[in-house]
Amino acid sequence: MFTPHLLVVATGTSVQFPNEDPFFHNVFSLFNGKRFDLGLYESGTTRSVRFDREGVSYIFCNIHPEMGAVILALSTPYYGISGESGTVSIHNVPPGSYRLNVWSESGQPVDKTMAERIVQVTSQPLRLDDITLQATADALANHKNKFGEEYKPNQETRY
């Protein structure tokens, strides 16, 4: 598995992908955030990727279909990750006008105008209205391999 499952980084950050397992991995992403293929690499080695543009990257292993993670590269230091209750807090945001964007791995906003809008931050606490999400297909659950093909069922990988 990838740890953590969700990682938020500043645009331009390099992320390391260490292989701490006793077998080979092949980490890749074909999505809009950062497209890359680290190739096959062995236990005890590390490869890295620079996430040089903003966006969502779904990360997979071409050998192990059950491995999946998400890296979200942002060009702002102001973001929050919801807890189990769904509440999000963003602290230390200076007064000003900001664009609010809501992203969820497994849902999309019912009302897009609530999830993508300009908000005015003042010196007083700001509470936004609830933003309701509806479930969507899990991008990590039914992905294809790096060649756009289905993973072989019951594949016996020899190391």
Side-chain angles (χ1 to χ4, degrees), residues 10-75:
T11 303
T13 299
S14 288
V15 174
Q16 293 187 340
F17 294 92
N19 183 351
E20 298 172 347
D21 293 321
F23 33 79
F24 285 86
H25 286 294
N26 182 305
V27 179
F28 73 98
S29 178
L30 301 176
F31 288 83
N32 70 346
K34 174 68 176 185
R35 293 175 176 262
F36 66 89
D37 178 358
L38 297 181
L40 199 61
Y41 61 107
E42 65 186 334
S43 177
T45 61
T46 297
R47 303 252 172 112
S48 64
V49 174
R50 184 171 182 265
F51 288 81
D52 49 6
R53 71 182 188 103
E54 204 169 43
V56 179
S57 298
Y58 292 93
I59 313 297
F60 302 107
C61 175
N62 201 54
I63 298 172
H64 305 98
E66 68 279 8
M67 290 178 64
V70 180
I71 295 180
L72 185 57
L74 300 177
S75 296

Side-chain angles (χ1 to χ4, degrees), residues 80-154:
I81 298 174
S82 69
E84 287 186 29
S85 69
T87 302
V88 176
S89 294
I90 305 172
H91 300 282
N92 303 318
V93 179
S97 179
Y98 297 89
R99 176 171 296 282
L100 170 73
N101 287 294
V102 174
W103 177 84
S104 170
E105 180 180 346
S106 58
Q108 67 180 14
V110 172
D111 181 354
K112 291 201 184 279
T113 62
M114 293 294 288
E116 297 179 19
R117 65 180 191 248
I118 303 297
V119 295
Q120 297 298 323
V121 175
T122 66
S123 59
Q124 300 300 313
L126 173 65
R127 186 193 187 292
L128 301 174
D129 295 330
D130 290 343
I131 299 172
T132 304
L133 302 177
Q134 63 187 15
T136 58
D138 184 353
L140 297 178
N142 298 312
H143 67 280
K144 302 216 184 297
N145 69 19
K146 70 180 185 178
F147 303 109
E149 301 167 351
E150 297 292 332
Y151 284 84
K152 296 177 184 172
N154 299 322

